[in-house]
Amino acid sequence: MAAAGSLERSFLELSGAERERPRHFREFTIGCVGTATVAAGTAKYNESAGGFYYMESGKLLSVTRNRFIHWKTSGDTLELVEESLDINLLNNAVRLKFQNCSVLPGGVYVSETQNHVIILILTSHTVHRLLFPHPSRMYRSELVVESQMQSVFTDIGKVDFRDPCNYQLIPTVPGPAPNSAASAAWLSSDGEALFALPSASGGLFVLKLPPYDMPGVASIVELKQSSVMQRLLIGWMPTAIRGEQGASDRALSLAVHCVEHDAFIFALCQDHKLRMWSYKDQMCLMVADMLEYVPVNKDLRLTAGTGHKLRLAYSPSMGLCLGTYLHAPKRGQFCVFQLVSTENNRYSLDHISSLFTSQETLVDFALTCTDIWALWHDAENQTIVKYINFEQYGHSQLCHPASLEAVACQQDNRNVAGQWNPVFIQPLPEEELIIRDDQDPREVYLRSLFTPGRFINAALCKALQIFCRGTEKKMDFSWNELKKEVTLAVEAELHGSITEYELSREEFRNLQQEFWCKFYACCLQYQEALSHPLALHLNPHTNMVCLLKKGYLSFLMPSSLVDHLYLLPEENLLTEDESSISEDVDVARDVICLIKCLRLIGESVNLDMSVMMEMSCYNLQSPEKAAEQILEDLITIDVENVLEDIYSKLQEIRNPIQAIGVLIREMDYETDVEMEKGFDPAQPLNVRMNLSQLYGSNTASYIMCRAVFRIASIRFLICRDLLILQQLLLRLGDSVVLGAGQLFQAQQDLLHRTAPLLLCYYLIKWNSQSLATDVPVDTLESNLQHLSVLELTDSGTLVANKFVSSPQTVVELFFQEVARKHIISHLFSQPKAPLGQTGLNWPQMIAAITSYLLQLLWPSNPGCLFLECLMGNCQYIQLQDYIQLLHPWCQVNVGSCRFMLGRCYLVTGEGQKALECFCQAASEVGKEEFLDRLIRSEDRETVSTPKLQYYDKVLRLLDVIGLPELVIQLATSAITEAGDDWKSQATLRTCIFKHHLDLGHNSQAYEALTQIPDASRQLDCLRQLVVVLCERSQLQDLVEFPYVNLHNEVVGIIESRARAVDLMTHNYYELLYAFHIYRHNYRKAGTVMFEYGMRLGREVRTLRGLEKQGNCYLAAINCLRLIRPEYAWIVQPASGAVYDRPGASPKRNHDGECTAAPANRQIEILELEDLERECSLARIRLTLAQHDPSAVTIAGSSSAEEMVTLLVQAGLFDTAISLCQTFKLPLTPVFEGLAFKCIKLQFGGEAAQAEAWAWLAANQLSSVITTKESSATDEAWQLLSNYLEKYQVQNNLYHHCVINKLLSHGVPLPNWLINSYKKVDAAELLRLYLNYDLLEEAVDLVSEYVDAVLGKGHQYFGIEFPLSATAPMVWLPYSSIDQLLQALGENSANSHNMALSQKILDKLEDYQQKVDRATRDLLYRRNM
């Protein structure tokens, strides 16, 4: 793999995140009292910038880790930004505008105390002190676990900018030196704020503000070289003691170093002298002439210095170092000194090194105790950044040469002893774009404008303002909104310029290209302006160097060896340290020569050729063929004989194969070692949580991913040029160049190793520019559900990301969500020192992180965290494109890629393609880590083989998504894999059955059911088949399936369902009836319908239920009639609906105890006659329910006896009589009920009469036509009379019960009833009279009865032959008559009773006489 470390021989610029994420500044205006009068004389200053680092920003476990502040000044505006690489800071950008004042260049100084961050600001007329809480005081704990937190600037709105303690006007006397931009500010150990400025009268003056928490007034101290000290109160200065010193000692640059209770002020002045002041002693401690260290200084002594700069650096080991830059026309010189203290408080400078440069305009430089970093801006508007280690530069520079020859000599020595190391600045976007004929100009320009990392948001907004001139538009757009606005603006300009009604396609294309080119050029101009450098910001604690530009912030990262050599200028290659390349000097020289060849090729490749190679990679064409074509084009257009130069350099390479191999190994990130997934559990919790935030901010994510993009872009060019060079070597085919026998090796090995390398870097570069898609919440939730089915939700790669409005590439997404955690845990898994003492070194950290990130992104490495991250965050389009670019040439993770591509196809609705991908991935199960993790399961029983586990997961996924057709196809394919594994076979065939059933493929579902080898599963599926087809009303299919060896099971299932569900909503009994009828099993069919009817009567107390009950009994009767008579019987179903149902809960009594199981009941056989009687009863029940709906609830399960009572109550006497006759029941209840109704009518009112007609109409009334209009009472008595006449029985029971009923209610007996009963049983009538004490009626009856016996009216008593000697014997009810006489005689005082008694006695005496006579006649006749 490629080396993770870096030699730090050069650096790469990485633009900061605000290029596409514009900051939202909170703006505040500071009105300064007293500045309005001096505003007219305010000088105009250049823009400036600077930065501040927290003292503990380099400590691993600090709250202020990787946190810093940077600012930019422009006129009266100061922009302050607090930045963190670990967390996203809220409210971290502030814009302050000072009325009537200009901020001094470099006039911002930040200090930190234990509790505060203090910002000191100097403007042209005022000084300010701003206090903010220190980050360590903003949080209760040093353990910061949030992904975002408040900045120190959050509460700036509460600051009183005009508080006299923190704000002061600069006095006009002595006043600052005119047009001077130098300044310095610091905090004393007592908390005082001190501001140093060059004095108008020469020297310096220091304005002091008292501590913020103590009362006091501001004061001024003026420092002059004469050591005369003047103390001034503001606004007052005695002119008598003012010095008349000239302005030659005016400070051009100031710096302050604080020591204990004093501060040393260093001033580099116009007279080229460095002065050191003690603020405490208020005297000049040292003056050093800088021209003593300048080789040619004669001209400089005669002119005042301009452009000189001074910087300080301090370390405990080296003490205080001073760095000066002395500006001279067409050259400059850096001098580095060490401050040396001698006795008696005297100081001197120890010269360390002098460094010479040819660049003219130095913008800024930074000093450490070992290095100088310098920033230039040349005449061609190019930014130049270089650095040098002045310790390596050597002390050979300590001489003081006095001639130009010495300077030249020193320049030569410089190249040997040390050299300026370059920083490769990020180039501006290309000025012209190539647009092919098949491309839309708008799309090409938009792609170039909005490709991440190319154009600054501010540049696009400013260009947009130009195109939208005359309209006021807000420019606070998100990235996508800005793209839309740009499109609309350019298109509006385009259409506004069209004057003709018709344009050809070519004319419109040219016009379109013209306007887009115009907008693009405008963007380039603003991009260039906003890329203007302002300052360097160097953090000595972390060695992080930032480049502060007008429009954004850039970070520097060390280049790797290969990138360093490829980008290094030609002159630097000559002096490159060969030992840093290889221990073998010959190999190192070969590599350098090889790099020179590659650079020659790279310089010769034009834009068209470069696009050709990229398009071949994108279109999945062979890079080797593209390189061969580019070589052909180079040979064709080689007018400068570049190929001859290449050939000559190739001659210098001793072993080109080995040199190419070294280069390839340095660029190859392929590795078999997998990183740790998570932090070391042995580390304390607070340490792990603290590390989890390291480099977790959006800014850090952007920087790391830009670093990957820069590296991938450079390596892509190297690989491209290397491929072209190898094609050239193959073309040459010269053994002198290649070495004997090495041609085949070069062709087969190196060429085929370089092409995949180029494709890997192309893919990484492509991913680094591919924007992530913002995903709706419902899509994220759906995706999470699908991943939970796959049991992948516990992976750190699959956490749904919340996007911000700014653009985010998929590589940034991957770094934030997955890679960062893995990389940080890997870096700190085995710390060399306690983490609390570990310092962060930015060059080492970014080099290591980018190296590991490249490993994780490397397509040919075994892990697929990147692919998982895209899948987990719903980046399906990007994932699909990535796999398509990867598939033809990369043979690593093939199965994982096919699986994830299948997931993409599922989302896009291409099910068949998805299924094909899933099937292809199955062949790689057991070979790839992701697929092994996919099939790993702890909750369920492990399936026999890995492939079957894989199929199980995919089937579950397809099932959740709702793709039954694909489930069936995949399960069918998986059956072949199951082989003899009956459990897996059962699972798969069950799956097939289920989804066929869901799709309505009933026949296929039945076929799959019959092939299930597991009996219990088969029974479950059979049950499901029955239920589903019943719910769908597809009963014909259900009945007609053959059910081979499953007949009893089907019947059992349907019976169980029939007995378990509601009868009126499910038709399982009817289904079972049809099932048996279809198979000609009529007895079973009859049994089913009879049971159905029984349950309907018990459970369905509705009219509809009674109707169905009757139909069920009819169906059962029909079934038995289809059977031979000897077999026409069924078994009586169990009463009370007691059925053995599997899984039914036990029945319990009121105490909660299980009831005892019922004893075995006696089997009862029902024949056809029994069924007919039940059918008749069912019809009668329906009749009753139709007549009286209130009786429905009780009629259904009533017996025949109960039904008679219900019918009588309802007045359905005909129906009741019919029921009694059918079930051979006595008619007594009928006659009693009718008699009672007659009684009620007899004494009821008109309402009763009206109600009676309803039930009277339901009975068959007499057909006798009478002229007299009859009442309901008459009709009721007539109905009773008809019944008594029609239904006569022995003992005249019905007459007896009717009369008994009437008499019991005290109702007089109607004559027709008396006459009727007299005919049949007069004696019983007499007894009834006696029972109810009707003595008078009894006397009349006895009298009439005696007369009838004697022959008078005998026909009315049913006596055929009255008393005579020739007629049969007659008799009288003497016992009853005796009882009557006794009853009459009991009350002898009652004359009426006595008269009645005497009447009977007389009648009996007469009867006795006639009996005696008839007896004698009879005896006489016998004796004759």
Side-chain angles (χ1 to χ4, degrees):
M1 59 161 276
S6 173
L7 299 175
E8 298 184 21
R9 298 298 302 275
S10 62
F11 280 75
L12 295 171
E13 180 197 10
L14 306 173
S15 61
E18 67 269 25
R19 285 178 65 96
E20 288 92 17
R21 299 183 174 107
R23 300 192 183 280
H24 299 284
F25 285 91
R26 291 181 296 156
E27 299 189 3
F28 299 90
T29 300
I30 302 176
C32 305
V33 177
T35 58
T37 58
V38 296
T42 300
K44 298 296 183 182
Y45 300 109
N46 294 328
E47 291 181 321
S48 67
F52 162 78
Y53 50 83
Y54 291 94
M55 295 301 294
E56 294 188 350
S57 60
K59 291 186 178 180
L60 187 61
L61 303 182
S62 170
V63 173
T64 56
R65 178 187 65 195
N66 287 326
R67 194 161 170 171
F68 59 96
I69 297 173
H70 62 92
W71 58 84
K72 184 188 77 172
T73 68
S74 177
D76 61 353
T77 303
L78 168 63
E79 294 179 351
L80 290 165
V81 178
E82 186 182 20
E83 198 73 71
S84 173
L85 299 182
D86 294 343
I87 49 180
N88 296 318
L89 297 178
L90 304 176
N91 302 309
N92 64 325
V94 176
R95 181 179 289 121
L96 304 178
K97 186 172 183 179
F98 298 87
Q99 287 184 342
N100 305 319
C101 296
S102 295
V103 183
L104 294 181
V108 182
Y109 302 88
V110 184
S111 301
E112 63 176 315
T113 63
Q114 190 173 2
N115 298 319
H116 292 94
V117 174
I118 301 174
I119 300 180
L120 306 177
I121 306 171
L122 295 97
T123 73
S124 55
H125 302 299
T126 58
V127 295
H128 301 264
R129 172 172 56 192
L130 304 180
L131 275 80
F132 302 99
H134 194 276
S136 61
R137 292 293 178 265
M138 295 180 67
Y139 316 108
R140 295 180 179 179
S141 169
E142 288 191 357
L143 183 61
V144 178
V145 295
E146 296 89 353
S147 61
Q148 59 185 21
M149 61 176 56
Q150 296 294 338
S151 164
V152 296
F153 300 141
T154 297
D155 294 331
I156 192 173
K158 301 177 183 179
V159 175
D160 183 4
F161 297 107
R162 299 176 63 176
D163 183 358
C165 295
N166 297 316
Y167 148 74
Q168 194 63 51
L169 281 172
I170 299 175
T172 56
V173 179
N179 300 321
S180 174
S183 65
W186 70 97
L187 286 180
S188 70
S189 57
D190 298 326
E192 301 165 330
L194 299 113
F195 303 86
L197 289 164
S199 174
S201 61
L204 307 173
F205 74 90
V206 180
L207 190 153
K208 179 177 72 175
L209 295 181
Y212 71 92
D213 54 353
M214 294 177 62
V217 295
S219 62
I220 288 180
V221 172
E222 189 170 6
L223 305 178
K224 288 193 175 183
Q225 191 170 347
S226 61
S227 299
V228 177
M229 182 272 294
Q230 299 172 349
R231 294 183 181 273
L232 302 174
L233 290 177
I234 294 179
W236 174 83
M237 177 167 179
T239 57
I241 60 172
R242 287 185 60 190
E244 300 298 333
Q245 190 172 357
S248 62
D249 63 345
R250 181 180 301 165
L252 298 175
S253 183
L254 294 177
V256 177
H257 177 64
C258 296
V259 289
E260 296 182 358
H261 298 289
D262 195 4
F264 294 155
I265 306 173
F266 296 90
L268 186 56
C269 304
Q270 282 185 340
D271 57 2
H272 315 292
K273 291 181 181 179
L274 177 66
R275 292 174 172 82
M276 172 181 170
W277 302 82
S278 169
Y279 174 72
K280 177 182 178 182
D281 299 332
Q282 296 162 8
M283 62 183 297
C284 183
L285 302 180
M286 180 191 70
V287 178
D289 187 0
M290 294 294 100
L291 293 182
E292 294 180 6
Y293 304 95
V294 177
V296 181
N297 56 27
K298 182 176 180 181
D299 295 337
L300 291 177
R301 289 189 183 276
L302 301 176
T303 59
T306 57
H308 296 347
K309 298 184 185 298
L310 172 64
R311 300 290 183 267
L312 304 181
Y314 176 80
S315 72
S317 59
M318 292 192 62
L320 183 64
C321 292
L322 292 86
T324 64
Y325 174 75
L326 303 177
H327 175 70
K330 298 184 180 180
R331 68 180 189 275
Q333 177 180 339
F334 292 95
C335 292
V336 183
F337 305 94
Q338 185 176 8
L339 184 65
V340 179
S341 174
T342 60
E343 297 179 359
N344 301 323
N345 201 25
R346 297 180 65 86
Y347 293 87
S348 64
L349 296 179
D350 182 8
H351 181 223
I352 297 176
S353 183
S354 290
L355 311 170
F356 302 90
T357 67
S358 58
Q359 280 83 12
E360 291 188 18
T361 307
L362 179 74
V363 177
D364 189 22
F365 81 97
L367 178 69
T368 71
C369 292
T370 57
D371 298 323
I372 290 179
W373 288 79
L375 168 63
W376 290 273
H377 197 248
D378 63 12
E380 298 178 357
N381 209 21
Q382 297 295 318
T383 300
I384 300 171
V385 181
K386 294 182 180 180
Y387 70 99
I388 190 169
N389 186 310
F390 54 77
E391 289 182 326
Q392 291 182 359
Y393 208 80
H395 290 275
S396 60
Q397 307 293 321
L398 296 182
C399 60
H400 306 294
S403 64
L404 290 175
E405 289 78 4
V407 174
C409 175
Q410 190 156 359
Q411 293 282 357
D412 293 338
N413 291 336
R414 179 193 66 190
N415 292 332
V416 176
Q419 64 180 9
W420 286 95
N421 298 302
V423 173
F424 303 115
I425 300 299
Q426 182 165 317
L428 293 171
E430 59 271 18
E431 295 184 2
E432 295 183 2
L433 298 180
I434 294 180
I435 303 176
R436 301 193 307 271
D437 293 337
D438 60 336
Q439 290 181 311
D440 181 11
R442 180 177 62 181
E443 291 183 3
V444 173
Y445 278 103
L446 282 175
R447 188 185 309 118
S448 179
L449 288 169
F450 289 91
T451 295
R454 292 175 64 84
F455 281 91
I456 308 170
N457 185 288
L460 297 175
C461 288
K462 288 182 180 294
L464 181 60
Q465 284 179 324
I466 296 298
F467 262 63
C468 297
R469 57 187 178 273
T471 61
E472 294 184 2
K473 273 196 172 184
K474 72 176 185 73
M475 288 299 166
D476 186 17
F477 298 118
S478 69
W479 195 246
N480 289 330
E481 290 172 344
L482 181 60
K483 186 175 183 179
K484 181 179 178 181
E485 290 294 328
V486 166
T487 305
L488 292 175
V490 177
E491 293 295 323
E493 285 287 318
L494 169 62
H495 292 294
S497 67
I498 298 177
T499 58
E500 299 181 8
Y501 289 104
E502 292 185 4
L503 286 177
S504 66
R505 180 177 299 180
E506 187 64 28
E507 288 173 336
F508 179 78
R509 176 185 173 86
N510 294 336
L511 200 60
Q512 187 182 31
Q513 187 166 347
E514 176 188 342
F515 276 87
W516 277 104
C517 182
K518 178 182 175 182
F519 181 81
Y520 185 79
C522 189
C523 292
L524 274 178
Q525 291 177 8
Y526 283 114
Q527 176 80 12
E528 185 175 1
L530 292 171
S531 299
H532 183 81
L534 298 179
L536 286 167
H537 172 55
L538 190 149
N539 185 344
H541 302 296
T542 61
N543 294 324
M544 182 174 72
V545 182
C546 296
L547 186 56
L548 304 174
K549 295 188 175 184
K550 184 175 180 179
Y552 57 94
L553 171 72
S554 291
F555 296 80
L556 303 186
M557 72 162 288
S559 340
S560 64
L561 175 63
V562 177
D563 303 340
H564 168 74
L565 294 175
Y566 186 76
L567 298 175
L568 204 61
E570 182 72 25
E571 61 272 14
N572 295 65
L573 265 179
L574 299 175
T575 60
E576 185 62 31
D577 183 9
E578 296 170 347
S579 63
S580 63
I581 301 174
S582 174
E583 296 178 357
D584 189 335
V585 177
D586 292 338
V587 173
R589 290 174 180 169
D590 285 352
V591 170
I592 291 176
C593 289
L594 179 63
I595 290 292
K596 292 178 180 177
C597 294
L598 295 180
R599 289 165 59 118
L600 286 172
I601 293 175
E603 293 168 358
S604 303
V605 173
N606 58 32
L607 190 57
D608 288 334
M609 298 175 185
S610 179
V611 170
M612 180 192 302
M613 180 59 78
E614 294 202 13
M615 292 306 297
S616 69
C617 296
Y618 184 78
N619 294 326
L620 308 179
Q621 298 170 353
S622 170
E624 295 97 324
K625 292 183 179 179
E628 187 177 1
Q629 181 60 48
I630 292 173
L631 179 62
E632 293 283 353
D633 295 343
L634 286 176
I635 294 173
T636 303
I637 63 174
D638 186 19
V639 295
E640 299 180 358
N641 298 321
V642 175
L643 293 180
E644 291 186 7
D645 295 341
I646 296 173
Y647 183 79
S648 64
K649 291 188 181 298
L650 285 174
Q651 299 291 338
E652 301 175 10
I653 303 177
R654 296 172 179 80
N655 190 337
I657 302 302
Q658 185 179 14
I660 295 174
V662 169
L663 208 57
I664 290 175
R665 283 193 299 273
E666 285 294 325
M667 293 189 295
D668 194 355
Y669 282 88
E670 186 171 337
T671 177
D672 295 330
V673 179
E674 192 170 353
M675 294 185 191
E676 296 85 353
K677 294 186 178 179
F679 294 102
D680 184 1
Q683 293 175 341
L685 177 62
N686 66 322
V687 173
R688 280 180 280 154
M689 296 182 72
N690 201 303
L691 287 176
S692 68
Q693 300 297 322
L694 185 60
Y695 300 117
S697 71
N698 291 336
T699 301
S701 171
Y702 184 88
I703 295 166
M704 300 300 175
C705 298
R706 292 309 300 168
V708 167
F709 173 72
R710 285 294 307 271
I711 292 172
S713 300
I714 296 169
R715 301 282 177 84
F716 177 78
L717 298 179
I718 296 173
C719 294
R720 179 201 67 189
D721 299 342
L722 192 58
L723 268 180
I724 298 171
L725 180 64
Q726 291 179 39
Q727 292 290 352
L728 177 61
L729 291 175
L730 291 175
R731 180 180 289 271
L732 292 174
D734 192 345
S735 60
V736 176
V737 176
L738 293 174
Q742 294 186 5
L743 179 59
F744 179 78
Q745 181 182 2
Q747 184 178 13
Q748 298 299 321
D749 184 18
L750 295 180
L751 194 65
H752 298 302
R753 286 173 60 192
T754 308
L757 205 62
L758 177 135
L759 291 169
C760 285
Y761 281 116
Y762 174 78
L763 269 180
I764 295 174
K765 187 176 78 159
W766 181 84
N767 282 323
S768 300
Q769 292 184 310
S770 179
L771 289 177
T773 305
D774 198 356
V775 183
V777 176
D778 55 346
T779 304
L780 289 173
E781 292 176 351
S782 174
N783 183 58
L784 190 62
Q785 179 188 8
H786 299 164
L787 295 175
S788 65
V789 172
L790 298 175
E791 298 182 5
L792 292 174
T793 50
D794 58 341
S795 172
T797 62
L798 302 171
V799 179
N801 180 54
K802 296 179 180 178
F803 292 103
V804 293
S805 60
S806 53
Q808 184 183 40
T809 64
V810 292
V811 176
E812 285 180 68
L813 174 65
F814 173 61
F815 179 79
Q816 285 182 335
E817 301 298 324
V818 181
R820 182 181 61 84
K821 177 182 176 182
H822 286 73
I823 294 170
I824 298 301
S825 63
H826 180 74
L827 287 175
F828 293 97
S829 59
Q830 295 178 344
K832 297 179 181 178
L835 293 181
Q837 303 173 12
T838 302
L840 295 175
N841 184 286
W842 169 255
Q844 294 178 5
M845 289 299 296
I846 191 172
I849 290 173
T850 52
S851 177
Y852 286 126
L853 183 55
L854 281 166
Q855 286 184 42
L856 294 175
L857 292 170
W858 200 250
S860 57
N861 278 341
C864 3
L865 292 178
F866 179 63
L867 296 170
E868 288 183 69
C869 177
L870 295 183
M871 180 176 69
N873 286 278
C874 305
Q875 303 299 310
Y876 300 115
I877 296 175
Q878 295 85 340
L879 177 59
Q880 186 173 348
D881 292 343
Y882 177 74
I883 294 176
Q884 298 288 10
L885 291 173
L886 188 69
H887 173 63
W889 56 272
C890 183
Q891 300 305 313
V892 179
N893 296 322
V894 175
S896 303
C897 288
R898 302 315 294 173
F899 175 83
M900 295 185 194
L901 185 59
R903 285 272 290 121
C904 296
Y905 283 137
L906 286 181
V907 174
T908 57
E910 299 175 273
Q912 288 300 326
K913 290 183 179 180
L915 182 64
E916 183 180 351
C917 290
F918 289 141
C919 293
Q920 291 170 352
S923 61
E924 302 299 319
V925 172
K927 304 175 185 178
E928 298 177 10
E929 186 271 339
F930 170 76
L931 295 178
D932 291 344
R933 185 155 40 87
L934 178 69
I935 65 176
R936 193 179 302 135
S937 177
E938 298 178 358
D939 299 335
R940 298 189 310 279
E941 181 181 356
T942 303
V943 191
S944 57
T945 67
K947 280 190 179 181
L948 290 177
Q949 296 178 52
Y950 167 79
Y951 281 123
D952 177 59
K953 281 289 181 70
V954 178
L955 288 171
R956 291 175 62 203
L957 173 64
L958 296 175
D959 188 16
V960 168
I961 295 176
L963 298 171
E965 299 94 341
L966 301 185
V967 173
I968 294 169
Q969 295 179 45
L970 186 62
T972 305
S973 302
I975 287 176
T976 58
E977 179 67 27
D980 297 333
D981 185 353
W982 67 272
K983 287 186 177 181
S984 301
Q985 285 267 4
T987 301
L988 293 170
R989 293 192 183 279
T990 300
C991 182
I992 295 174
F993 159 80
K994 174 183 177 298
H995 289 89
H996 270 312
L997 188 60
D998 291 343
L999 290 170
H1001 303 162
N1002 299 339
S1003 299
Q1004 294 90 329
Y1006 172 76
E1007 183 181 354
L1009 181 147
T1010 59
Q1011 296 175 351
I1012 298 175
D1014 186 351
S1016 63
R1017 281 180 180 264
Q1018 190 178 48
L1019 187 60
D1020 292 339
C1021 294
L1022 185 60
R1023 186 176 294 108
Q1024 186 178 4
L1025 177 69
V1026 171
V1027 172
V1028 171
L1029 292 186
C1030 285
E1031 290 175 349
R1032 295 176 184 167
S1033 300
Q1034 296 176 331
L1035 304 181
Q1036 183 172 358
D1037 288 346
L1038 184 59
V1039 169
E1040 293 179 355
F1041 287 141
Y1043 300 110
V1044 179
N1045 299 325
L1046 293 173
H1047 181 274
N1048 293 336
E1049 286 79 0
V1050 175
V1051 172
I1053 290 170
I1054 301 178
E1055 284 181 350
S1056 176
R1057 296 292 299 177
R1059 293 165 181 171
V1061 300
D1062 183 59
L1063 293 174
M1064 296 304 290
T1065 56
H1066 298 82
N1067 54 357
Y1068 287 106
Y1069 277 108
E1070 295 176 7
L1071 168 65
L1072 194 58
Y1073 170 76
F1075 184 87
H1076 290 309
I1077 291 293
Y1078 184 76
R1079 287 160 179 76
H1080 307 292
N1081 193 342
Y1082 300 115
R1083 181 189 292 171
K1084 282 282 188 181
T1087 304
V1088 168
M1089 294 310 289
F1090 186 75
E1091 179 181 325
Y1092 188 20
M1094 287 178 59
R1095 287 193 59 201
L1096 284 169
R1098 285 193 301 266
E1099 301 175 22
V1100 184
R1101 306 293 178 94
T1102 64
L1103 187 63
R1104 174 64 179 155
L1106 293 176
E1107 291 175 353
K1108 289 180 70 69
Q1109 185 185 42
N1111 293 334
C1112 290
Y1113 288 152
L1114 285 174
I1117 292 171
N1118 289 337
C1119 289
L1120 292 187
R1121 285 176 176 168
L1122 294 173
I1123 308 174
R1124 285 189 296 174
E1126 59 268 27
Y1127 299 109
W1129 54 267
I1130 62 173
V1131 176
Q1132 168 77 38
S1135 62
V1138 179
Y1139 302 108
D1140 245 356
R1141 295 198 301 269
S1145 61
K1147 303 303 176 187
R1148 303 178 185 273
N1149 58 22
H1150 293 293
D1151 298 327
E1153 307 235 350
C1154 294
T1155 56
N1160 291 335
R1161 63 183 179 89
Q1162 188 174 4
I1163 296 177
E1164 183 178 353
I1165 302 299
L1166 299 178
E1167 296 182 345
L1168 184 59
E1169 294 78 7
D1170 301 322
L1171 265 66
E1172 289 173 343
R1173 282 197 298 271
E1174 287 295 330
C1175 182
S1176 175
L1177 179 58
R1179 285 198 303 271
I1180 291 172
R1181 287 169 180 159
L1182 179 60
T1183 301
L1184 174 62
Q1186 289 171 339
H1187 178 78
D1188 182 9
S1190 63
V1192 170
T1193 55
I1194 55 177
S1197 58
S1198 300
S1199 63
E1201 292 82 357
E1202 295 169 338
M1203 279 301 302
V1204 170
T1205 303
L1206 294 174
L1207 290 169
V1208 169
Q1209 290 176 356
L1212 302 178
F1213 298 103
D1214 285 351
T1215 307
I1217 292 172
S1218 174
L1219 179 62
C1220 292
Q1221 291 175 340
T1222 301
F1223 283 87
K1224 299 179 180 179
L1225 299 176
L1227 298 181
T1228 303
V1230 179
F1231 284 97
E1232 287 182 348
L1234 182 55
F1236 182 70
K1237 284 189 176 292
C1238 290
I1239 294 170
K1240 289 177 66 179
L1241 285 173
Q1242 186 79 30
F1243 300 100
E1246 294 183 1
Q1249 294 283 328
E1251 292 178 0
W1253 286 111
W1255 60 264
L1256 284 171
N1259 295 283
Q1260 188 174 2
L1261 299 176
S1262 173
S1263 59
V1264 177
I1265 301 175
T1266 61
T1267 58
K1268 179 184 177 181
E1269 184 178 351
S1270 61
S1271 66
T1273 305
D1274 298 337
E1275 290 295 336
W1277 287 114
Q1278 183 63 43
L1279 182 64
L1280 180 59
S1281 175
N1282 292 340
Y1283 284 164
L1284 288 172
E1285 183 179 352
K1286 184 176 181 179
Y1287 303 107
Q1288 297 182 7
V1289 293
Q1290 293 182 351
N1291 302 325
N1292 302 301
L1293 178 63
Y1294 303 142
H1295 284 79
H1296 179 274
C1297 71
V1298 169
I1299 293 172
N1300 189 50
K1301 192 72 170 177
L1302 294 174
L1303 293 178
S1304 66
H1305 285 79
V1307 178
L1309 299 179
N1311 291 330
W1312 65 265
L1313 180 59
I1314 296 172
N1315 295 333
S1316 174
Y1317 200 27
K1318 282 194 301 186
K1319 276 188 179 182
V1320 294
D1321 196 349
E1324 183 62 25
L1325 179 61
L1326 177 60
R1327 283 191 288 272
L1328 287 173
Y1329 281 155
L1330 291 174
N1331 288 341
Y1332 291 98
D1333 291 334
L1334 299 176
L1335 302 180
E1336 187 172 350
E1337 287 81 355
V1339 170
D1340 292 340
L1341 178 63
V1342 169
S1343 179
E1344 292 177 3
Y1345 191 67
V1346 171
D1347 290 342
V1349 170
L1350 295 178
K1352 183 181 178 179
H1354 63 88
Q1355 66 273 14
Y1356 297 111
F1357 282 84
I1359 299 174
E1360 185 178 357
F1361 301 103
L1363 178 67
S1364 71
T1366 58
M1369 292 186 294
V1370 294
W1371 58 275
L1372 286 179
Y1374 288 107
S1375 297
S1376 299
I1377 294 173
D1378 290 342
Q1379 290 178 8
L1380 176 62
L1381 291 173
Q1382 184 179 0
L1384 292 172
E1386 288 178 353
N1387 190 359
S1388 59
N1390 190 333
S1391 59
H1392 181 67
N1393 287 352
M1394 297 306 296
L1396 293 176
S1397 176
Q1398 186 60 45
K1399 181 180 179 179
I1400 295 175
L1401 291 173
D1402 293 343
K1403 186 65 71 175
L1404 288 175
E1405 183 178 356
D1406 182 49
Y1407 173 73
Q1408 291 294 339
Q1409 293 175 1
K1410 291 182 179 182
V1411 167
D1412 182 62
R1413 186 184 306 119
T1415 303
R1416 285 194 299 270
D1417 290 343
L1418 178 62
L1419 293 174
Y1420 173 78
R1421 288 178 179 278
R1422 285 182 178 178
N1423 293 327
M1424 284 182 67

